[in-house]
Short mmCIF file of all heavy atoms in Angstrom, two decimals:
data_model
loop_
_atom_site.label_atom_id
_atom_site.label_comp_id
_atom_site.label_asym_id
_atom_site.label_seq_id
_atom_site.Cartn_x
_atom_site.Cartn_y
_atom_site.Cartn_z
N VAL M 235 -4.78 7.58 -2.93
CA VAL M 235 -5.37 7.59 -1.60
C VAL M 235 -5.79 6.16 -1.29
O VAL M 235 -6.53 5.54 -2.06
CB VAL M 235 -6.60 8.52 -1.55
CG1 VAL M 235 -7.33 8.41 -0.22
CG2 VAL M 235 -6.19 9.97 -1.81
N ALA M 236 -5.31 5.62 -0.19
CA ALA M 236 -5.65 4.25 0.17
C ALA M 236 -7.00 4.20 0.90
O ALA M 236 -7.45 5.21 1.44
CB ALA M 236 -4.56 3.68 1.07
N ALA M 237 -7.63 3.04 0.87
CA ALA M 237 -8.86 2.87 1.66
C ALA M 237 -8.53 3.15 3.13
O ALA M 237 -7.50 2.71 3.63
CB ALA M 237 -9.39 1.45 1.49
N GLY M 238 -9.41 3.92 3.78
CA GLY M 238 -9.18 4.24 5.19
C GLY M 238 -8.39 5.52 5.40
O GLY M 238 -8.24 5.99 6.52
N GLU M 239 -7.89 6.10 4.30
CA GLU M 239 -7.09 7.33 4.40
C GLU M 239 -8.01 8.56 4.35
O GLU M 239 -9.00 8.56 3.62
CB GLU M 239 -6.10 7.36 3.23
CG GLU M 239 -4.87 8.21 3.47
CD GLU M 239 -3.88 8.08 2.30
OE1 GLU M 239 -3.54 6.94 1.90
OE2 GLU M 239 -3.49 9.13 1.79
N THR M 240 -7.63 9.58 5.10
CA THR M 240 -8.38 10.85 5.05
C THR M 240 -7.99 11.61 3.79
O THR M 240 -6.82 11.82 3.54
CB THR M 240 -8.06 11.72 6.28
OG1 THR M 240 -8.43 10.99 7.45
CG2 THR M 240 -8.81 13.03 6.24
N TYR M 241 -9.00 11.98 2.98
CA TYR M 241 -8.68 12.71 1.75
C TYR M 241 -9.16 14.15 1.77
O TYR M 241 -8.70 14.98 0.99
CB TYR M 241 -9.25 11.98 0.52
CG TYR M 241 -10.76 11.87 0.51
CD1 TYR M 241 -11.54 12.86 -0.06
CD2 TYR M 241 -11.40 10.78 1.10
CE1 TYR M 241 -12.92 12.77 -0.07
CE2 TYR M 241 -12.78 10.69 1.12
CZ TYR M 241 -13.54 11.68 0.52
OH TYR M 241 -14.91 11.61 0.55
N ALA M 242 -10.10 14.45 2.65
CA ALA M 242 -10.63 15.82 2.70
C ALA M 242 -11.25 16.06 4.07
O ALA M 242 -11.46 15.11 4.85
CB ALA M 242 -11.67 16.04 1.61
N SER M 243 -11.56 17.34 4.36
CA SER M 243 -12.27 17.64 5.59
C SER M 243 -13.30 18.74 5.32
O SER M 243 -13.13 19.57 4.43
CB SER M 243 -11.30 18.08 6.68
OG SER M 243 -10.69 19.31 6.32
N ILE M 244 -14.41 18.64 6.09
CA ILE M 244 -15.49 19.63 6.01
C ILE M 244 -15.74 20.15 7.41
O ILE M 244 -16.13 19.38 8.29
CB ILE M 244 -16.78 18.99 5.42
CG1 ILE M 244 -16.54 18.55 3.98
CG2 ILE M 244 -17.94 19.95 5.51
CD1 ILE M 244 -17.76 17.92 3.31
N ASP M 245 -15.47 21.44 7.63
CA ASP M 245 -15.58 22.04 8.98
C ASP M 245 -14.87 21.17 10.02
O ASP M 245 -15.40 20.92 11.11
CB ASP M 245 -17.05 22.25 9.36
CG ASP M 245 -17.64 23.46 8.64
OD1 ASP M 245 -16.86 24.29 8.12
OD2 ASP M 245 -18.88 23.56 8.58
N GLY M 246 -13.70 20.71 9.69
CA GLY M 246 -12.89 19.95 10.64
C GLY M 246 -13.20 18.46 10.71
O GLY M 246 -12.45 17.69 11.30
N GLU M 247 -14.32 18.05 10.08
CA GLU M 247 -14.66 16.64 10.10
C GLU M 247 -13.95 15.92 8.95
O GLU M 247 -14.03 16.34 7.80
CB GLU M 247 -16.18 16.48 9.94
CG GLU M 247 -16.66 15.07 10.17
CD GLU M 247 -18.14 14.91 9.77
OE1 GLU M 247 -18.89 15.90 9.95
OE2 GLU M 247 -18.50 13.84 9.28
N GLU M 248 -13.26 14.83 9.28
CA GLU M 248 -12.44 14.15 8.26
C GLU M 248 -13.28 13.24 7.38
O GLU M 248 -14.15 12.52 7.86
CB GLU M 248 -11.34 13.34 8.95
CG GLU M 248 -10.34 14.23 9.67
CD GLU M 248 -9.14 13.46 10.17
OE1 GLU M 248 -9.18 12.21 10.22
OE2 GLU M 248 -8.14 14.12 10.52
N LEU M 249 -13.01 13.27 6.09
CA LEU M 249 -13.65 12.35 5.15
C LEU M 249 -12.64 11.27 4.80
O LEU M 249 -11.52 11.56 4.38
CB LEU M 249 -14.08 13.09 3.88
CG LEU M 249 -15.04 14.26 4.06
CD1 LEU M 249 -15.43 14.84 2.71
CD2 LEU M 249 -16.29 13.82 4.83
N VAL M 250 -13.07 10.02 4.97
CA VAL M 250 -12.16 8.88 4.81
C VAL M 250 -12.58 8.07 3.59
O VAL M 250 -13.77 7.85 3.35
CB VAL M 250 -12.20 8.00 6.09
CG1 VAL M 250 -11.40 6.72 5.89
CG2 VAL M 250 -11.66 8.79 7.28
N ALA M 251 -11.59 7.65 2.80
CA ALA M 251 -11.88 6.90 1.57
C ALA M 251 -12.38 5.49 1.89
O ALA M 251 -11.80 4.79 2.72
CB ALA M 251 -10.62 6.81 0.72
N ASN M 252 -13.48 5.10 1.25
CA ASN M 252 -13.98 3.73 1.38
C ASN M 252 -13.16 2.77 0.54
O ASN M 252 -12.99 1.61 0.88
CB ASN M 252 -15.44 3.64 0.94
CG ASN M 252 -16.36 4.40 1.87
OD1 ASN M 252 -16.13 4.41 3.09
ND2 ASN M 252 -17.34 5.06 1.31
N GLU M 253 -12.71 3.29 -0.60
CA GLU M 253 -11.91 2.47 -1.50
C GLU M 253 -10.79 3.35 -2.07
O GLU M 253 -10.89 4.58 -2.06
CB GLU M 253 -12.79 1.93 -2.63
CG GLU M 253 -13.57 3.02 -3.34
CD GLU M 253 -14.57 2.46 -4.35
OE1 GLU M 253 -15.06 1.33 -4.13
OE2 GLU M 253 -14.82 3.15 -5.34
N PRO M 254 -9.72 2.73 -2.55
CA PRO M 254 -8.61 3.55 -3.05
C PRO M 254 -8.99 4.32 -4.31
O PRO M 254 -9.82 3.85 -5.10
CB PRO M 254 -7.52 2.51 -3.35
CG PRO M 254 -8.19 1.19 -3.40
CD PRO M 254 -9.44 1.28 -2.62
N PHE M 255 -8.40 5.48 -4.49
CA PHE M 255 -8.59 6.25 -5.72
C PHE M 255 -7.44 7.24 -5.88
O PHE M 255 -6.66 7.47 -4.96
CB PHE M 255 -9.94 6.99 -5.71
CG PHE M 255 -10.03 8.13 -4.72
CD1 PHE M 255 -9.73 9.44 -5.10
CD2 PHE M 255 -10.41 7.91 -3.40
CE1 PHE M 255 -9.82 10.50 -4.20
CE2 PHE M 255 -10.50 8.96 -2.49
CZ PHE M 255 -10.20 10.26 -2.89
N TYR M 256 -7.38 7.82 -7.07
CA TYR M 256 -6.41 8.88 -7.33
C TYR M 256 -7.18 10.20 -7.40
O TYR M 256 -8.07 10.36 -8.24
CB TYR M 256 -5.68 8.64 -8.66
CG TYR M 256 -4.70 7.50 -8.59
CD1 TYR M 256 -5.12 6.19 -8.80
CD2 TYR M 256 -3.36 7.73 -8.30
CE1 TYR M 256 -4.23 5.14 -8.73
CE2 TYR M 256 -2.46 6.69 -8.23
CZ TYR M 256 -2.89 5.39 -8.44
OH TYR M 256 -2.00 4.35 -8.36
N PRO M 257 -6.84 11.17 -6.55
CA PRO M 257 -7.49 12.47 -6.63
C PRO M 257 -6.98 13.25 -7.85
O PRO M 257 -5.79 13.25 -8.12
CB PRO M 257 -7.09 13.18 -5.33
CG PRO M 257 -5.94 12.42 -4.78
CD PRO M 257 -5.85 11.09 -5.45
N VAL M 258 -7.89 13.88 -8.58
CA VAL M 258 -7.54 14.71 -9.73
C VAL M 258 -8.37 15.99 -9.66
O VAL M 258 -9.58 15.93 -9.38
CB VAL M 258 -7.79 13.97 -11.06
CG1 VAL M 258 -7.55 14.90 -12.25
CG2 VAL M 258 -6.88 12.75 -11.18
N LEU M 259 -7.74 17.11 -9.90
CA LEU M 259 -8.42 18.42 -9.87
C LEU M 259 -9.11 18.64 -8.53
O LEU M 259 -10.15 19.29 -8.45
CB LEU M 259 -9.44 18.52 -11.02
CG LEU M 259 -8.84 18.71 -12.42
CD1 LEU M 259 -9.85 18.31 -13.50
CD2 LEU M 259 -8.41 20.17 -12.65
N MET M 260 -8.53 18.09 -7.47
CA MET M 260 -9.14 18.26 -6.15
C MET M 260 -8.51 19.45 -5.43
O MET M 260 -7.30 19.60 -5.41
CB MET M 260 -8.98 16.98 -5.32
CG MET M 260 -10.16 16.04 -5.54
SD MET M 260 -10.23 14.60 -4.47
CE MET M 260 -10.29 15.28 -2.85
N SER M 261 -9.37 20.28 -4.86
CA SER M 261 -8.92 21.43 -4.09
C SER M 261 -10.04 21.83 -3.13
O SER M 261 -11.19 21.45 -3.33
CB SER M 261 -8.61 22.61 -5.03
OG SER M 261 -9.78 23.04 -5.70
N PRO M 262 -9.70 22.57 -2.07
CA PRO M 262 -10.74 22.94 -1.10
C PRO M 262 -11.83 23.83 -1.71
O PRO M 262 -13.01 23.67 -1.41
CB PRO M 262 -9.96 23.70 -0.02
CG PRO M 262 -8.54 23.31 -0.18
CD PRO M 262 -8.35 22.99 -1.63
N TYR M 263 -11.42 24.80 -2.55
CA TYR M 263 -12.38 25.82 -2.97
C TYR M 263 -12.48 26.00 -4.50
O TYR M 263 -13.07 26.96 -4.98
CB TYR M 263 -12.02 27.17 -2.32
CG TYR M 263 -12.01 27.10 -0.81
CD1 TYR M 263 -10.80 26.97 -0.11
CD2 TYR M 263 -13.20 27.11 -0.10
CE1 TYR M 263 -10.79 26.87 1.28
CE2 TYR M 263 -13.19 27.02 1.29
CZ TYR M 263 -11.99 26.89 1.97
OH TYR M 263 -11.99 26.79 3.33
N GLY M 264 -11.90 25.08 -5.27
CA GLY M 264 -11.88 25.24 -6.72
C GLY M 264 -13.26 25.17 -7.36
O GLY M 264 -13.55 25.88 -8.32
N TYR M 265 -14.11 24.28 -6.85
CA TYR M 265 -15.48 24.14 -7.38
C TYR M 265 -16.48 24.37 -6.26
O TYR M 265 -16.16 24.20 -5.08
CB TYR M 265 -15.70 22.73 -7.95
CG TYR M 265 -14.75 22.30 -9.03
CD1 TYR M 265 -13.75 21.37 -8.74
CD2 TYR M 265 -14.85 22.80 -10.32
CE1 TYR M 265 -12.86 20.96 -9.74
CE2 TYR M 265 -13.98 22.39 -11.31
CZ TYR M 265 -12.98 21.47 -11.01
OH TYR M 265 -12.12 21.07 -11.99
N GLU M 266 -17.69 24.73 -6.63
CA GLU M 266 -18.69 25.07 -5.64
C GLU M 266 -19.22 23.85 -4.89
O GLU M 266 -19.33 23.85 -3.67
CB GLU M 266 -19.85 25.79 -6.33
CG GLU M 266 -20.67 26.64 -5.38
CD GLU M 266 -21.84 27.31 -6.09
OE1 GLU M 266 -21.77 27.45 -7.34
OE2 GLU M 266 -22.80 27.65 -5.42
N ASN M 267 -19.55 22.77 -5.65
CA ASN M 267 -20.22 21.62 -5.04
C ASN M 267 -19.39 20.35 -4.98
O ASN M 267 -19.87 19.31 -4.55
CB ASN M 267 -21.52 21.33 -5.80
CG ASN M 267 -22.45 22.52 -5.81
OD1 ASN M 267 -22.69 23.13 -4.76
ND2 ASN M 267 -22.95 22.89 -6.98
N GLU M 268 -18.17 20.42 -5.49
CA GLU M 268 -17.29 19.24 -5.48
C GLU M 268 -15.90 19.63 -5.01
O GLU M 268 -15.46 20.76 -5.22
CB GLU M 268 -17.14 18.65 -6.90
CG GLU M 268 -18.40 18.08 -7.48
CD GLU M 268 -19.16 19.10 -8.31
OE1 GLU M 268 -18.53 20.05 -8.81
OE2 GLU M 268 -20.39 18.96 -8.44
N PHE M 269 -15.22 18.67 -4.40
CA PHE M 269 -13.79 18.86 -4.17
C PHE M 269 -13.03 18.70 -5.49
O PHE M 269 -12.00 19.32 -5.71
CB PHE M 269 -13.28 17.82 -3.17
CG PHE M 269 -13.65 18.12 -1.74
CD1 PHE M 269 -14.60 17.34 -1.08
CD2 PHE M 269 -13.07 19.18 -1.06
CE1 PHE M 269 -14.94 17.62 0.23
CE2 PHE M 269 -13.40 19.46 0.25
CZ PHE M 269 -14.35 18.68 0.90
N GLY M 270 -13.53 17.80 -6.34
CA GLY M 270 -12.86 17.51 -7.59
C GLY M 270 -13.30 16.13 -8.06
O GLY M 270 -14.47 15.77 -7.93
N TYR M 271 -12.35 15.35 -8.56
CA TYR M 271 -12.69 14.05 -9.15
C TYR M 271 -11.86 12.93 -8.53
O TYR M 271 -10.74 13.14 -8.09
CB TYR M 271 -12.39 14.05 -10.66
CG TYR M 271 -13.19 15.03 -11.45
CD1 TYR M 271 -12.76 16.35 -11.58
CD2 TYR M 271 -14.40 14.66 -12.05
CE1 TYR M 271 -13.49 17.27 -12.32
CE2 TYR M 271 -15.13 15.58 -12.79
CZ TYR M 271 -14.68 16.88 -12.92
OH TYR M 271 -15.40 17.79 -13.64
N ALA M 272 -12.45 11.74 -8.56
CA ALA M 272 -11.71 10.52 -8.27
C ALA M 272 -11.38 9.88 -9.62
O ALA M 272 -12.19 9.89 -10.55
CB ALA M 272 -12.56 9.57 -7.44
N ALA M 273 -10.17 9.34 -9.71
CA ALA M 273 -9.74 8.73 -10.97
C ALA M 273 -9.10 7.38 -10.69
O ALA M 273 -8.75 7.05 -9.55
CB ALA M 273 -8.73 9.64 -11.67
N GLU M 274 -8.99 6.60 -11.77
CA GLU M 274 -8.19 5.37 -11.70
C GLU M 274 -7.00 5.54 -12.63
O GLU M 274 -7.06 6.28 -13.60
CB GLU M 274 -9.03 4.16 -12.10
CG GLU M 274 -9.67 4.28 -13.47
CD GLU M 274 -10.59 3.12 -13.79
OE1 GLU M 274 -10.83 2.28 -12.92
OE2 GLU M 274 -11.09 3.08 -14.93
N LEU M 275 -5.92 4.86 -12.29
CA LEU M 275 -4.73 4.88 -13.13
C LEU M 275 -4.90 3.75 -14.14
O LEU M 275 -4.99 2.58 -13.75
CB LEU M 275 -3.48 4.66 -12.28
CG LEU M 275 -2.13 4.63 -13.00
CD1 LEU M 275 -1.82 5.95 -13.69
CD2 LEU M 275 -1.01 4.32 -11.98
N VAL M 276 -4.99 4.09 -15.42
CA VAL M 276 -5.33 3.05 -16.40
C VAL M 276 -4.13 2.59 -17.23
O VAL M 276 -4.22 1.60 -17.94
CB VAL M 276 -6.46 3.49 -17.35
CG1 VAL M 276 -7.76 3.59 -16.59
CG2 VAL M 276 -6.16 4.79 -18.04
N GLY M 277 -3.02 3.28 -17.16
CA GLY M 277 -1.86 2.84 -17.92
C GLY M 277 -0.92 3.98 -18.20
O GLY M 277 -0.87 4.96 -17.47
N LYS M 278 -0.16 3.81 -19.29
CA LYS M 278 0.81 4.83 -19.66
C LYS M 278 0.57 5.23 -21.10
O LYS M 278 0.18 4.42 -21.93
CB LYS M 278 2.23 4.28 -19.52
CG LYS M 278 2.72 4.20 -18.10
CD LYS M 278 4.19 3.85 -18.11
CE LYS M 278 4.86 4.15 -16.79
NZ LYS M 278 4.42 3.28 -15.71
N LEU M 279 0.81 6.50 -21.39
CA LEU M 279 0.69 7.00 -22.74
C LEU M 279 2.10 7.36 -23.21
O LEU M 279 2.84 8.01 -22.50
CB LEU M 279 -0.18 8.25 -22.73
CG LEU M 279 -0.75 8.76 -24.03
CD1 LEU M 279 -1.77 7.79 -24.58
CD2 LEU M 279 -1.43 10.11 -23.79
N GLY M 280 2.44 6.92 -24.41
CA GLY M 280 3.77 7.26 -24.91
C GLY M 280 4.12 6.36 -26.06
O GLY M 280 3.60 5.26 -26.16
N SER M 281 4.99 6.84 -26.93
CA SER M 281 5.39 6.08 -28.10
C SER M 281 4.18 5.64 -28.92
O SER M 281 4.18 4.60 -29.56
CB SER M 281 6.20 4.83 -27.72
OG SER M 281 7.07 5.12 -26.67
N GLY M 282 3.12 6.46 -28.88
CA GLY M 282 1.95 6.22 -29.72
C GLY M 282 1.11 5.02 -29.33
O GLY M 282 0.30 4.54 -30.08
N ARG M 283 1.28 4.52 -28.13
CA ARG M 283 0.44 3.39 -27.73
C ARG M 283 0.04 3.53 -26.26
O ARG M 283 0.72 4.21 -25.49
CB ARG M 283 1.20 2.08 -27.92
CG ARG M 283 2.42 1.97 -27.03
CD ARG M 283 3.20 0.69 -27.30
NE ARG M 283 4.19 0.47 -26.28
CZ ARG M 283 5.40 1.04 -26.27
NH1 ARG M 283 5.75 1.87 -27.22
NH2 ARG M 283 6.26 0.80 -25.31
N VAL M 284 -1.03 2.91 -25.91
CA VAL M 284 -1.46 2.91 -24.52
C VAL M 284 -1.23 1.52 -23.97
O VAL M 284 -1.72 0.53 -24.51
CB VAL M 284 -2.96 3.27 -24.40
CG1 VAL M 284 -3.40 3.20 -22.96
CG2 VAL M 284 -3.20 4.66 -24.94
#
Side-chain angles (χ1 to χ4, degrees):
V235 173
E239 204 175 309
T240 300
Y241 62 89
S243 66
I244 295 181
D245 284 343
E247 189 190 326
E248 294 189 345
L249 303 183
V250 173
N252 292 324
E253 52 187 30
F255 69 94
Y256 288 86
V258 174
L259 287 160
M260 271 188 59
S261 64
Y263 301 100
Y265 303 106
E266 202 181 339
N267 302 312
E268 294 92 25
F269 284 109
Y271 297 86
E274 56 185 6
L275 180 62
V276 291
K278 284 189 162 68
L279 196 67
S281 320
R283 64 184 191 277
V284 177

